[in-house]
Amino acid sequence: MDVKAMEASMIKDNPVLLPLNKEKTIYDGFITVQERDFRVRITLPPDRKITGGRLHCCWQLKHLLRGYEQTVKQRLQQSDNLVTFILELKTILEVGLKSFPEHQSIPPPQYYSQLISEMETLGWSKLLFIDTAFQTLQLNAEDSSGRQHLLTVKLKPKHPAEAPDCSADLPLPLLINWTPQTTLDQLYGQFLLVLESLTRFWDVLDEIDRNTWILEPEKPCRSDTMRRIAIGNNVSIKVEVDPRHPEMLPDCCLLGAEHVVTPLRNKLNTNMHLWNPESDVLHNLQDVLEIEFPSPASHEKSSFST
């Protein structure tokens, strides 16, 4: 491609990438990929050969080209001319955008200053993790009983105008009230209130876990509301505790041989009126069923068939 043809092609394909000097060794402006503009500066040696050129990127472009640096360097050294190189650079960017769709909405610079300001107010000690895009945060929280909890916050590129996606290991949906004026500190405060509302529920399950043999789930999570408790060999009870009303009689299902389960079921139905919401769930279950649950202090788990 001769010089004039190359210049004509440059103007046609990249109308806002312009030479800054009469020697045309410095080009500055924007290239457009998938309807997005990226600022670039390309400097060429006096002979104007692209093989000796250098590419300077805006921070957004650097973010998108992460992992493609060697490919870009190789294309810079092997392309025939500037037009060809820019075409290949655009192709690499298109691949990058398709491979990492989350990069299609890179936040503006003020997003980061806003995030840092909010984290300083909240306290950096509460931050356990933040991803390289500065969009996914994991915050540590402790409830009034000393249990540790993890809040995952996925910020949107237009934060705080858009509500973030929040998740945690809870037995109920995490509902956060959000306005464009809401801060991370206020969001965290709402999360602490949710934890406090569930404290009694977790106290109930922690007591059951400490004092009985739990057959299911093997490794309970804070979101689990069910426990299958061993009563004897091949006999167990599955209880479903209501997170909103943990002191009330839970849904119960007795499991095992019918000749063993029937008397227990009869006692459960007959003694249901004895349930005392002021007492703890474990003692209530034992009173209603007229049994004592085998405990880790007195029994080996191997003595129960699951």
Side-chain angles (χ1 to χ4, degrees):
M1 184 183 293
D2 63 38
V3 175
K4 284 190 177 180
M6 187 186 83
E7 289 176 356
S9 182
M10 274 288 293
I11 293 168
K12 180 185 174 186
D13 298 337
N14 308 284
V16 285
L17 182 62
L18 304 169
L20 293 187
N21 57 359
K22 64 179 181 180
E23 294 82 14
K24 296 182 179 177
T25 57
I26 303 173
Y27 283 80
D28 198 304
F30 296 87
I31 58 172
T32 304
V33 181
Q34 293 184 5
E35 299 183 346
R36 291 191 56 201
D37 294 329
F38 298 97
R39 181 75 181 267
V40 295
R41 173 175 283 217
I42 299 169
T43 57
L44 302 174
D47 62 7
R48 297 178 61 190
K49 289 185 187 267
I50 189 66
T51 50
R54 295 193 65 181
L55 172 69
H56 307 270
C57 306
C58 64
W59 66 272
Q60 291 169 311
L61 198 55
K62 283 183 182 176
H63 190 72
L64 280 169
L65 290 174
R66 193 173 295 160
Y68 294 92
E69 293 92 345
Q70 281 303 114
T71 306
V72 173
K73 191 175 180 180
Q74 186 183 55
R75 299 324 304 150
L76 196 60
Q77 293 170 349
Q78 296 178 0
S79 295
D80 293 332
N81 51 56
L82 183 58
V83 173
T84 306
F85 169 70
I86 292 173
L87 185 61
E88 292 182 340
L89 178 62
K90 287 181 175 181
T91 303
I92 294 167
L93 277 171
E94 284 173 2
V95 172
L97 284 168
K98 286 175 185 173
S99 301
F100 304 100
E102 71 271 14
H103 290 162
Q104 291 180 12
S105 299
I106 298 172
Q110 59 267 30
Y111 165 94
Y112 298 96
S113 56
Q114 171 84 18
L115 175 58
I116 290 168
S117 174
E118 289 188 38
M119 279 308 306
E120 286 175 348
T121 302
L122 174 62
W124 290 101
S125 60
K126 296 182 178 72
L127 181 67
L128 290 182
F129 168 82
I130 187 165
D131 69 344
T132 54
F134 287 84
Q135 289 183 288
T136 301
L137 292 74
Q138 289 184 337
L139 305 174
N140 180 55
E142 186 176 294
D143 65 26
S144 57
S145 295
R147 285 177 287 255
Q148 299 297 314
H149 302 271
L150 191 67
L151 172 64
T152 300
V153 182
K154 293 188 176 181
L155 301 174
K156 303 290 177 60
K158 293 181 181 177
H159 174 80
E162 294 179 287
D165 293 326
C166 300
S167 60
D169 190 16
L170 303 174
L172 297 171
L174 178 57
L175 302 176
I176 295 292
N177 294 319
W178 187 270
T179 71
Q181 289 73 45
T182 305
T183 64
L184 287 177
D185 189 47
Q186 292 166 339
L187 181 152
Y188 188 81
Q190 291 185 50
F191 181 58
L192 290 179
L193 290 175
V194 172
L195 296 182
E196 204 53 40
S197 72
L198 292 166
T199 295
R200 184 64 193 132
F201 164 76
W202 285 317
D203 287 344
V204 165
L205 289 180
D206 283 353
E207 186 191 24
I208 292 172
D209 293 344
R210 277 195 309 270
N211 296 292
T212 68
W213 279 115
I214 302 300
L215 303 179
E216 291 180 69
E218 192 173 329
K219 293 180 179 178
C221 300
R222 291 296 174 197
S223 56
D224 289 322
T225 57
M226 185 277 290
R227 295 292 190 273
R228 185 159 76 91
I229 308 168
I231 295 176
N233 192 24
N234 289 314
V235 187
S236 61
I237 183 170
K238 187 182 282 189
V239 297
E240 188 82 35
V241 180
D242 184 348
R244 293 182 177 88
H245 308 286
E247 291 92 355
M248 302 306 290
L249 175 67
D251 289 337
C252 298
C253 178
L254 287 152
L255 303 168
E258 198 59 35
H259 71 279
V260 181
V261 165
T262 300
L264 289 169
R265 190 179 294 121
N266 291 338
K267 287 176 184 176
L268 179 63
N269 293 330
T270 303
N271 296 332
M272 209 174 284
H273 67 284
L274 297 174
W275 191 273
N276 178 12
E278 300 299 316
S279 183
D280 61 72
V281 170
L282 186 58
H283 283 106
N284 269 319
L285 282 171
Q286 293 184 139
D287 290 346
V288 169
L289 293 168
E290 298 178 16
I291 62 166
E292 274 199 27
F293 289 108
S295 76
S298 58
H299 294 74
E300 292 292 329
K301 192 173 185 180
S302 57
S303 59
F304 307 110
S305 178
T306 58

